[in-house]
Amino acid sequence: MHKLKANNITRIFAFLFLALLVYLLSNHIDEWRSFQGATVMFYVVAIASIILLTGYSGQISLGHGALVAIGSYTAALTQIYLHQPIWMCFVASVLVTALFGAFLGFAAARLSGPYLAGTTLALAVGLPSIANQFRILGGEQGINFDVGWPPKSLGADFTQYKWFFWISALATLIAMWWLHNILRSRYGRAWRAVHKNEVAAELAGIHVGRAKVLAFTLSAGLAGLAGALLAMTMNNVSPSVFPLYLSLSLLTGAVLSGVTTLGGVMIGAVTLVAIPEIATSVSSRWGDSGNLATYLPNLVVSVLLLLTVFLAPRGPIEKFRAHRSTPERISQTKSKAQ
Amino acid sequence: MMKLFNTILIGITSGSIYSLMAIAIVLVWRSTRVINFAQAGLALASSFVGFEVLTRTGSFWIALPVALLAGAGMSAFIEYFFLRPLLKRSGDESQEIFLPIIATLGLLGVIKAILSFIYGDQNGTISPPVSDKDFIVGANSISMSPMRVLILIVVIVLVSSITWLFQKTSIGLALRASSYSPEISRLAGVRVDLIRTCGWAISGAAGSAAGMLQTANGSGSLSPDSLEFSLLLVFGFVAAVIGGLESLLGAVLGGITLGIFISFVLMYVSGSLVFISAFLILLLVLYVRPQGIIGKKVGRRA
């Protein structure tokens, strides 16, 4: 019990430290880096939502891009038609997407691995094209989501993207804090039990279907938040923002981060943002016409995905931990046995 | 009345292409219990091979078999070098059941990226080998052209030869046996691993036929990012699920059903709702008849 409390305090400090880090960082980087920072935050939330779903509750989704799209459109529509303040748009995104996730979850709870993968894939391909059908969604041009300039009180030289970065970072820290706690609650334990062994979980009194639907709902809520962040950073919401590739790269990010632990979530997010940048600089050094810069990121991301699957299927963090702790654990169990 | 008739005709032609893709997915599923999401990538790559052969020789009739062989070869390659070691190692640990799915997605990405490197923004073209002008009956033109007849013939020939292979030959018996029970087949002297690679190869050939026909039937142009291939992947999967993921006949019926359904949405509702309607019909099938239209009632916990 004492240990748990100590952990809690450490965690509070860890999060405060992260917040401070983001604050200091945001003061020393230019517009482009701030934009990248905001994008990293979007990826962190989106990847965390996949980790919650896949790593903890054992359901796979190839369609999180579609949920992100719902979040983005909700944020923009709330602002345009309901004239709500920005934070209300974020809340609306989370709620509406979570509601949609609950509907989807009822279908998903009945499906196992490959069926669920295919169904969510169909959703990812299908949903964004709806925007062309209804005029309210703005067709190919899409609709705008304008957070507005940073408040005057922050000073005149406080830039637009720095403001986006701050909002994203704050939202991300809150979301991660909440997710971290819920994964340690009875719900988190129930999800892990269901994932490990459904029959055993059922015997232990866990309602398997309910646990799965709840996981899907919360994961969708997070994806909705990510969608609002993306809409804010992009300023615009249109079907082309959510290609199938987005869903797949989110899944890639989750796998790179190590899908079974929340701890590595930054790895995937930073990798996804860094790879295009590195590809651009590499190709400009080789004096390439731009062909390389366009297609190299996809290749690198896919190859990384395959390498992770084959070399460290539970992600780099788990790999590292397993590597370090195996001898200790063995000696511990031995001493206990004696 | 004419519109209704034409809608059904279009549905049958495009549905027969989806059937091929569904067969490809079903064959892989039966042999290794994996959904191969790289199937669309394989179809795309072998269509590009077909395109290269077509530009060099000028004959669709050489390009098609070469593309089929290329598809079979690439599919077998993937099974041998990627899926086999992965499935051998992962066993049945609950953490790792998603790895094959994720691996095939990674392969899809790699295939697409490599094709983008080679072809960049330039598109390949596969023009229809025979006229694609609609037949005229009386005063009306019906939506059936020599090209569409050709597609139907190719699909029927391929499907019946795959069925023949499965039902009448010893390889087919080994394929069915090793998907029914790998352990017992091994005891009976079947080289299950080799047979699985065979299953993947046949599936690759079916998929590349779908790719070639889809390109020739559609816009005729072929690009690494073309929508037609994500369409093929999703529709192939939906068709396979409608058919129950287990039987070849089911895959064919599923493909035709989906084709007609999609064609009705396209003609009577709206073009931009096609994809989402595929999703909806998939959900409907999974709710009402999860074992597929001709499947037996068994648990779906794979």
Side-chain angles (χ1 to χ4, degrees), chain B residues 22 55 60 62 66 239 253 266 283:
Chain B
T55 42
F60 187 82
I62 302 173
V66 173
L253 292 179
L266 205 59
L283 273 192

Side-chain angles (χ1 to χ4, degrees), chain B residues 19-296:
Chain B
S19 305
L20 278 182
M21 201 63 188
I23 284 178
I25 288 170
V26 165
L27 286 176
V28 165
W29 173 253
R30 274 172 50 145
S31 69
T32 40
R33 299 283 136 183
V34 169
I35 298 282
N36 182 11
F37 287 105
Q39 200 89 60
L42 287 172
L44 187 66
S46 42
S47 299
F48 268 108
V49 171
F51 156 70
E52 287 293 340
V53 175
L54 187 62
T55 42
R56 297 227 158 75
T57 63
S59 161
F60 187 82
W61 303 110
I62 302 173
L64 185 64
V66 173
L68 291 192
L69 283 178
M74 282 186 282
S75 185
F77 176 86
I78 284 184
E79 197 278 337
Y80 189 84
F81 285 101
F82 292 96
L83 267 295
R84 192 186 287 187
L86 193 65
L87 292 173
K88 281 261 154 64
R89 198 198 51 197
S90 66
D92 52 6
E93 241 188 297
S94 64
Q95 300 281 0
E96 301 189 347
I97 54 169
F98 299 128
L99 289 183
I101 297 176
I102 294 169
T104 58
L105 285 171
L107 286 167
L108 176 67
V110 170
I111 295 172
K112 274 190 141 181
I114 291 174
L115 287 175
S116 311
F117 267 121
I118 302 175
Y119 291 96
D121 327 318
Q122 53 190 359
N123 291 351
T125 45
I126 296 176
S127 43
V130 290
S131 158
D132 55 355
K133 293 275 184 303
D134 285 347
F135 293 126
I136 309 273
V137 176
N140 301 309
S141 78
I142 58 169
S143 298
M144 187 49 76
S145 59
M147 182 59 207
R148 285 170 195 258
V149 174
L150 177 72
I151 288 175
L152 287 178
I153 292 173
V154 171
V155 172
I156 289 169
V157 167
L158 281 176
V159 170
S160 34
S161 43
I162 291 175
T163 317
W164 174 78
L165 185 79
F166 262 79
Q167 301 298 335
K168 302 284 178 192
T169 65
S170 55
I171 297 179
L173 185 62
L175 274 165
R176 281 182 289 148
S178 52
S179 87
Y180 179 71
S181 167
E183 295 292 311
I184 297 173
S185 314
R186 226 171 249 131
L187 280 177
V190 176
R191 294 174 66 188
V192 173
D193 284 342
L194 185 71
I195 287 297
R196 281 184 174 165
T197 314
C198 266
W200 274 68
I202 302 170
S203 144
S208 53
M212 289 288 280
L213 295 178
Q214 173 82 355
T215 316
N217 184 41
S219 57
S221 89
L222 192 63
S223 99
D225 308 309
S226 80
L227 186 68
E228 273 170 358
F229 283 85
S230 23
L231 188 136
L232 212 50
L233 175 62
V234 172
F235 288 0
F237 176 80
V238 177
V241 171
I242 294 176
L245 264 188
E246 291 288 346
S247 89
L248 294 177
L249 180 64
V252 172
L253 292 179
I256 305 279
T257 315
L258 183 70
I260 294 175
F261 176 76
I262 293 292
S263 166
F264 269 98
V265 174
L266 205 59
M267 299 288 264
Y268 289 93
V269 189
S270 158
S272 49
L273 292 183
V274 163
F275 273 119
I276 202 73
S277 63
F279 169 72
L280 293 177
I281 195 174
L282 178 61
L283 273 192
L284 187 73
V285 169
L286 287 172
Y287 258 117
V288 180
R289 237 187 123 70
Q291 71 274 31
I293 41 179
I294 64 166
K296 287 180 226 64

Side-chain angles (χ1 to χ4, degrees), chain A residues 43-65:
Chain A
Y43 277 126
V44 166
V45 179
I47 290 172
S49 99
I50 292 187
I51 290 179
L52 161 66
L53 189 69
T54 306
Y56 285 83
S57 88
Q59 298 166 279
I60 194 168
S61 161
L62 311 184
H64 258 53

